Amino acid sequence: MKEFTINGAVVQGYPLCAAQRLHFYTIRFSKPQVLNIGTGLYIKNDVDFDVLKQSIHQAINDMDTMRLRFIEDEDGTPYQYIVPFDEREIGFFDFSHWKEEDANEEMKRWTEKPFERYNAPENVVVMIKFPGGYNGMYLKVNHMTMDSSSIIEFNKRVLEIYCAKVYDYPYPKPLQPYLKQLLKDLEYEKPDNPAHIADEEFWKADIEAKNEPMYTDFTGPGRLITQRREAKNPKLRSAYVISNSMEADISVYNLETEPSMRLLKFCEENKVPMASLLLMGLRTVLSKFNNDEKDVCVKTCIARRGTLLEKHSGGTRIHFFPMRTIIEPETTFIDAIRVIQTEQTKIFRHANYDPIEYTMKRSKYRKFAPGASYESISLTYQPLTLRNASDDLPDIDYKTFWYSNGVAGQPLYLTVMHRPEDNGLNFNFEFRKDVVSHHEMEFFYYYLCRVLFRGIEDPNRTVGEILEMI
């Protein structure tokens, strides 16, 4: 901890946690807006914007991560602090006479504008009149302060306060303090912490596995073949994945309600997590695209929100780790998912470890070239929606949007979320334009769906049979 003087007042600065350092590391090699997350929440109701503004102000002051700021010391080391109160002006914009796609395109441009790095708010809230009779708010946050769970928590807070003021619903309970969880995370990072020591030993064993992992690209084996030729190393198993350009876009595919419910039913009946099923789909498509390779790595997102304090303290808690599976073609679909489930459980137990520390140690041990990896795609599954996050909200028709910030820190990042209106699945592919196109994303999504539905219609089909069918 370190004290800073800002505008004549002394504030307590705290070091960044591992999840924040991961994002801070990202902007060193990218454009600053890479950490911007832009979202829209619009309800099919007339809205009292004066009351909405009051509700937004109250939610900002209830949720301390909305008041988080960054500062650097004389050595250039970043710290974070929380301002005690924030009564900034909340903007308003009327899109009601615009086309929906034009309104979304404008808010995408808002999302591309970077934040001030230090001593400034790390979020923007604008009240919105949206086309089609929807009204609500646009929210842009710095990923170093919030992740998708935090955003949903803030949106829920605003709506619950609004409903308490307008419809006499119960006022929401107090939130958990961000600093309490941050201090627990910083305590874990001490080198003599037993949990930290155990996690370090686990990831050391993973890094030093005798049989080196294999890179599988989402466009096929061409990238690895080219790099083997350039390196004059036919046994090269990692690939350089950094792009020449950071420019990015998003392709969104909405899986219809009925097939989405089939996937959910399969998971419920077989007692497997949806994330395991999705990972099975991804690794099978990567296998198919890379000559039926058995050894496949996917980078998986761990939300790290298992306790009540973690769930309701806001902040950013996402850690990314590789999930490697070697699955033989005679393995059945359901048994392969169980293999993935077992690997996920191992990762969850050791997910507090610093992902940057892991990456650096792996790169050093494997003698990677800068930017090399075994993973070509990352997956986040977000099961939480406003509708299942709160019992104290009326059954209102609403829309949510996630807006691209125009750049990406990795070649391909898939986020799977539930739609609020029917709990169906949306597949959001964020990709770098110089690596892949919208058409290729559609092709990838097509194969992903084929794998998932060929598998769930007969879970005893072997992986080899599914690879032949698709």
Side-chain angles (χ1 to χ4, degrees), residues 183-452:
L183 292 174
K184 289 187 68 173
D185 290 339
L186 295 176
E187 179 66 26
Y188 161 85
E189 291 184 13
K190 292 180 178 178
D192 60 349
N193 184 290
H196 182 270
I197 293 170
D199 293 344
E200 191 166 46
E201 290 174 351
F202 172 83
W203 290 113
K204 183 176 184 291
D206 174 86
I207 289 168
E208 297 177 2
K210 288 184 179 179
N211 53 336
E212 184 182 3
M214 173 66 77
Y215 176 81
T216 48
D217 196 78
F218 53 84
T219 62
R223 182 190 296 266
L224 186 56
I225 290 171
T226 298
Q227 294 188 26
R228 281 175 171 173
R229 184 171 58 247
E230 292 173 348
K232 298 180 181 178
N233 180 4
K235 296 183 179 180
L236 183 69
R237 294 173 71 89
S238 61
Y240 181 77
V241 296
I242 301 299
S243 301
N244 294 323
S245 169
M246 296 287 151
E247 190 176 358
D249 206 346
I250 294 178
S251 287
V252 180
Y253 303 101
N254 304 318
L255 186 63
E256 295 84 351
T257 306
E258 190 277 329
S260 292
M261 294 306 105
R262 274 192 278 149
L263 294 179
L264 288 167
K265 183 180 179 182
F266 172 84
C267 291
E268 182 180 350
E269 291 179 345
N270 291 278
K271 295 181 172 55
V272 296
M274 175 60 75
S276 298
L277 176 60
L278 294 170
L279 284 165
M280 178 59 190
L282 282 181
R283 64 97 48 216
T284 306
V285 175
L286 292 174
S287 174
K288 177 69 175 180
F289 286 8
N290 291 270
N291 303 319
D292 295 349
E293 174 61 52
K294 295 183 292 185
D295 190 346
V296 176
C297 293
V298 175
K299 196 173 286 186
T300 182
C301 167
I302 312 298
R304 299 169 60 242
R305 293 196 181 271
T307 68
L308 286 175
L309 176 59
E310 290 170 342
K311 286 177 182 177
H312 301 297
S313 59
T316 185
R317 300 199 53 75
I318 292 175
H319 281 186
F320 284 94
F321 287 105
M323 197 208 67
R324 180 189 187 187
T325 49
I326 302 172
I327 296 179
E328 300 295 333
E330 59 269 20
T331 309
T332 65
F333 184 79
I334 188 63
D335 285 344
I337 293 177
R338 305 269 187 227
V339 170
I340 289 171
Q341 190 175 359
T342 299
E343 292 302 312
Q344 278 187 293
T345 301
K346 292 178 185 177
I347 294 172
F348 290 155
R349 288 175 182 158
H350 303 281
N352 285 328
Y353 193 69
D354 185 344
I356 294 180
E357 189 73 15
Y358 170 87
T359 301
M360 292 175 65
K361 287 182 176 180
R362 184 177 74 167
S363 296
K364 183 178 180 180
Y365 182 83
R366 293 296 180 185
K367 297 180 173 61
F368 276 175
S373 181
Y374 299 118
E375 303 86 35
S376 68
I377 184 170
S378 300
L379 171 70
T380 290
Y381 169 59
Q382 174 54 270
L384 192 66
T385 67
L386 280 174
R387 206 173 297 285
N388 61 26
S390 175
D391 296 325
D392 295 324
L393 287 175
D395 188 16
I396 301 174
D397 181 15
Y398 69 95
K399 292 182 178 183
T400 56
F401 293 90
W402 293 75
Y403 300 112
S404 170
N405 58 35
V407 294
Q410 49 194 316
L412 181 58
Y413 185 5
L414 170 61
T415 302
V416 180
M417 306 181 73
H418 288 269
R419 290 188 297 274
E421 61 270 23
D422 63 354
N423 210 35
L425 295 172
N426 281 359
F427 291 74
N428 302 269
F429 291 89
E430 181 184 58
F431 59 91
R432 287 183 177 167
K433 290 182 178 181
D434 70 333
V435 175
V436 68
S437 66
H438 282 282
H439 175 73
E440 288 171 310
M441 282 295 87
E442 187 173 357
F443 186 72
F444 190 96
Y445 173 68
Y446 167 78
Y447 271 90
L448 177 57
C449 287
R450 283 186 64 83
V451 169
L452 293 174

Side-chain angles (χ1 to χ4, degrees), residues 39 41 52 55-67 88 90 123-126 137-141 146-161 175 311 314 384 386:
T39 64
L41 168 64
L52 179 59
S55 303
I56 292 169
H57 276 141
Q58 186 61 55
I60 289 172
N61 288 294
D62 285 351
M63 192 171 188
D64 47 9
T65 51
M66 287 291 288
R67 292 177 277 112
R88 83 187 78 154
I90 304 299
N123 52 71
V124 173
V125 189
V126 182
M137 64 182 184
Y138 163 87
L139 172 66
K140 180 175 74 172
V141 303
M146 300 178 78
D147 55 25
S148 59
S149 295
S150 298
I151 291 169
I152 291 171
E153 187 76 43
F154 177 75
N155 286 341
K156 176 169 74 78
R157 190 76 179 179
V158 172
L159 284 185
E160 286 177 340
I161 294 171
L175 293 171
K311 286 177 182 177
L384 192 66
L386 280 174

